[in-house]
Amino acid sequence: MAGRFDPLNRTTVRGGRTPVPAGQGQAGGAGAKARRWVPDGPVDLGLTLGPLRRGPADPAFRATPDGSVWRTSRTPQGAATLRVSRSGTEITAEAWGPGADWLLEQLPALLGSGDDPAAFVPRHRLVHASHRRRPGLRLTRTGLVLESLVPVILEQKVTSDEAYRAWRRLVRQYGEPAPGPHGLGLYVMPDARTWALIPSWDWHKAGVDAKRSATIVRAARVAHRLEEAAAMAPAAAAARLEAVPGIGPWTSAETLQRSNGDPDAVTTGDLHLPGIIGYALAGDRDADDAAMLELLAPYAGQRHRAARLVLLAGHAPPRRVPRMPRTDIGRL
């Protein structure tokens, strides 16, 4: 798999942090339902929610200059928009749309209340330094499988730019304008039925090949069964996702890291990740999945967190081969 990690673009991808300007956030407007929540420890919004952003122009995610993070979701109760900001130790959230109550109920989990950073014990100098510099890193748990699964499938075996472009086009074309304040240009992703009915020519125009589009269609047709994985134990959840043809360990791990907040869902089958982990922890830029898993073995139960901390440290090997070529099948 090509994966989404671009060693030269760390701020917008899996291991990176979404920049959130300092600020206390401003009320989003009339009609919002609100909630205030005080976490039991530091929460960095950019680090915690950053993995949910699909590129800097994601139509379902936005960080604004006032220090707010906006994101949209298609919840079990319907479409919704959420604004989250921090003031001191308090988190303030507002939500709009039919799914507003559901999002506000899930707010603590989204911001890592179910995560246990204290369970992590750094065992390497670089990991220790990265961990110490980021006390606000919490692993998010959205509780929504399809919203993470679809963009991960789009990211199979292509560059991050290609996947982000496809996501933007499809969400804007087949999704719906987000409820709540206007002016941000946010959209809610399509529902499962709409994903399943996208015609082949529009997949093609979005640059999505037949293999990836067919996988999304198969997943959308059993979306109600896949959503059940959000409440399953890690092994059972991965097995549920991988029962769909076209979904393998890479895709299930990338999805469950977000939908389930799985701290141990290490990504295998990635083009870049083994070499980065190998180089950072052992000076081995040619490490494969087996070597990476051996290096991460001391972090059993917390391997995903350890991998994220390595990526955030930015200790990637120098490039020695050309970048993966970018293609646009929509122009063919």
Side-chain angles (χ1 to χ4, degrees), residues 89-321:
T89 61
E90 185 177 70
I91 301 294
T92 301
E94 292 179 300
W96 296 259
D101 289 332
W102 192 93
L103 281 184
L104 292 176
E105 179 67 23
Q106 297 295 317
L107 178 69
L110 182 72
L111 297 179
S113 66
D115 183 31
D116 183 14
F120 183 76
V121 180
R123 301 182 183 279
H124 186 280
R125 182 186 304 174
L126 180 142
V127 176
H128 176 76
S130 184
H131 183 250
R132 179 169 46 82
R133 289 196 297 268
R134 298 169 177 88
L137 171 63
R138 296 291 186 98
L139 301 183
T140 186
R141 183 182 185 277
T142 66
L144 298 169
V145 174
L146 196 66
E147 93 170 10
S148 291
L149 177 61
V150 170
V152 169
I153 294 172
L154 291 175
E155 290 156 6
Q156 292 176 348
K157 297 186 178 181
V158 296
T159 65
S160 57
D161 285 347
E162 292 173 86
Y164 296 154
R165 183 172 65 241
W167 172 250
R168 290 195 300 268
R169 178 169 184 143
L170 292 168
V171 170
R172 286 171 179 158
Q173 182 174 356
Y174 286 99
E176 62 185 83
H182 299 289
L184 291 176
L186 292 174
Y187 283 78
V188 181
M189 70 170 245
D191 59 19
R193 185 174 185 275
T194 302
W195 283 115
L197 294 177
I198 295 176
S200 59
W201 52 87
D202 278 338
W203 287 113
H204 186 83
K205 289 177 182 177
V208 182
D209 59 76
K211 183 175 180 180
R212 286 180 292 151
S213 63
T215 300
I216 292 174
V217 170
R218 285 191 291 265
R221 288 174 177 167
V222 294
H224 65 291
R225 294 284 288 159
L226 297 183
E227 292 295 347
E228 294 173 357
M232 292 180 175
R240 176 66 62 89
L241 268 61
E242 292 171 26
V244 177
I247 297 178
W250 184 90
T251 303
S252 67
E254 289 283 314
T255 301
L256 296 176
Q257 289 164 6
R258 296 160 177 78
S259 64
N260 293 35
D262 187 346
D264 197 47
V266 62
T267 304
T268 56
D270 194 272
L271 180 63
H272 301 292
L273 188 60
I276 295 169
I277 300 295
Y279 182 78
L281 300 185
D284 179 11
R285 63 179 300 157
D286 298 314
D288 57 11
D289 277 342
M292 176 182 70
L293 292 175
E294 183 176 352
L295 289 169
L296 292 176
Y299 301 102
Q302 294 280 322
R303 293 178 299 174
H304 168 49
R305 190 192 306 275
R308 272 204 73 190
L309 289 169
V310 171
L311 293 175
L312 286 163
H315 197 62
R319 184 181 297 277
R320 66 183 182 189
V321 296

